[in-house]
Amino acid sequence: MMKISPKLPGENNKDYSYRVIKENIMSLTLHPGQAISEIDLAAALDISRTPVREVLAMLKEEHLVEVYPQVGTYVSKINLQLIEEAAFMRFTLEREVLRLACASFPEEELLELKKNTALQKLLMGQKGKAQEFHKLDTEFHHIIFRGNKKENVWTSITRLSTHYNRIRLLSEMERSYDETIWQHLRIVEVIENKEIENAERMYQEHILWPMKNWEALYRPDSPYASYF
């Protein structure tokens, strides 16, 4: 069942349905491969079918929805090729942005990173907090790009990372995310101490190495095999 949040001030039906449907897909509430329909979505959101139809077309362009004529509409299964491409993009660009941050980074944004990681530390060892951690994690990386005046680059990464972020959330729901939090704390140290020589290895550990653990999620004997 979808989680329905209230409309934001000034939000029209199209923007509202886009936000809520996408949030439910990205949070795995609407799970990969699940059948969805305009009628059911419109009823759940208490709006007409027209904006929902437009939103499903938008989500299809974003590789989050698959439409099969005469068959039905489904949440896209997680695509391993899209995961690999997003990881490549993230590693390449985040490594370079971390190097820029080591050279120069605004003090106020460094403070925001420290506030963010302080909230992350409160979640260490807790189960059932993957969604909350995932939001802090995303904002953590956004702050680094914002501090380097590269917000449009972050937007491009976010657009390509929908499948990457879904498997990452699934992994965080199944495994401890404590190691990721320690890595975030270390990234803050790297920026504060201007350890530019550690940027490459930092993001190898943070982005590339965790992908090895994801293989267990899509093996044929995995309870999540049908998500892929």
Side-chain angles (χ1 to χ4, degrees):
M1 183 178 293
M2 282 214 309
K3 294 179 180 177
I4 308 298
S5 56
K7 271 188 180 181
L8 300 176
E11 198 171 36
N12 61 36
N13 284 344
K14 183 178 178 180
D15 292 341
Y16 172 58
S17 55
Y18 175 81
R19 177 175 61 83
V20 173
I21 295 170
K22 186 170 182 177
E23 282 177 356
N24 276 271
I25 292 174
M26 294 305 299
S27 68
L28 304 174
T29 303
L30 292 175
H31 60 73
Q34 180 175 341
I36 53 178
S37 76
E38 287 179 18
I39 296 174
D40 292 343
L41 292 172
L45 294 165
D46 194 24
I47 60 175
S48 71
R49 292 172 59 182
T50 300
V52 172
R53 185 180 307 118
E54 294 172 350
V55 164
L56 291 178
M58 293 168 61
L59 294 173
K60 182 176 183 293
E61 291 296 317
E62 295 179 29
H63 307 289
L64 287 175
V65 164
E66 299 290 342
V67 180
Y68 300 99
Q70 320 314 289
V71 178
T73 301
Y74 298 83
V75 176
S76 294
K77 292 192 175 186
I78 300 174
N79 184 296
L80 299 181
Q81 178 61 32
L82 290 175
I83 290 170
E84 190 281 329
E85 290 185 36
F88 174 82
M89 184 181 192
R90 287 197 63 161
F91 171 72
T92 303
L93 294 176
E94 294 203 45
R95 175 192 60 194
E96 295 308 312
V97 167
L98 182 57
R99 286 172 173 165
L100 290 175
C102 288
S104 177
F105 197 72
E107 192 63 36
E108 61 270 22
E109 300 291 6
L110 183 61
L111 181 60
E112 287 301 312
L113 284 179
K114 290 180 177 180
K115 289 179 180 177
N116 179 284
T117 50
L119 291 173
Q120 290 184 43
K121 285 181 72 176
L122 295 176
L123 301 178
M124 292 184 77
Q126 295 192 51
K127 293 186 178 181
K129 298 289 186 179
Q131 298 275 8
E132 192 173 339
F133 166 70
H134 191 74
K135 289 179 181 178
L136 288 169
D137 185 350
T138 299
E139 179 59 19
F140 175 85
H141 291 278
H142 182 196
I143 292 168
I144 298 175
F145 278 81
R146 188 175 70 211
N148 284 283
K149 295 182 170 57
K150 297 289 186 290
E151 286 202 79
N152 290 317
V153 177
W154 176 250
T155 298
S156 296
I157 290 174
T158 302
R159 288 182 183 276
L160 185 62
S161 296
T162 51
H163 288 244
Y164 173 91
N165 283 336
R166 285 194 293 169
I167 194 173
R168 190 161 60 89
L169 176 58
L170 187 60
S171 177
E172 290 162 359
M173 291 167 65
E174 290 296 299
R175 300 168 57 89
S176 169
Y177 39 77
D178 288 7
E179 179 61 28
T180 303
I181 295 174
W182 286 120
Q183 289 172 358
H184 286 161
L185 291 165
R186 178 70 182 117
I187 288 170
V188 175
E189 288 181 355
V190 167
I191 293 172
E192 188 167 29
N193 298 328
K194 302 186 182 301
E195 301 173 33
I196 194 167
E197 70 280 2
N198 290 323
E200 174 93 17
R201 182 175 177 83
M202 194 66 255
Y203 275 110
Q204 283 181 350
E205 293 179 5
H206 193 58
I207 294 175
L208 300 183
W209 293 3
M211 293 175 68
K212 297 175 182 177
N213 296 323
W214 297 351
E215 294 175 6
L217 296 171
Y218 54 81
R219 284 200 304 251
D221 60 346
S222 165
Y224 303 105
S226 64
Y227 284 16
F228 298 85

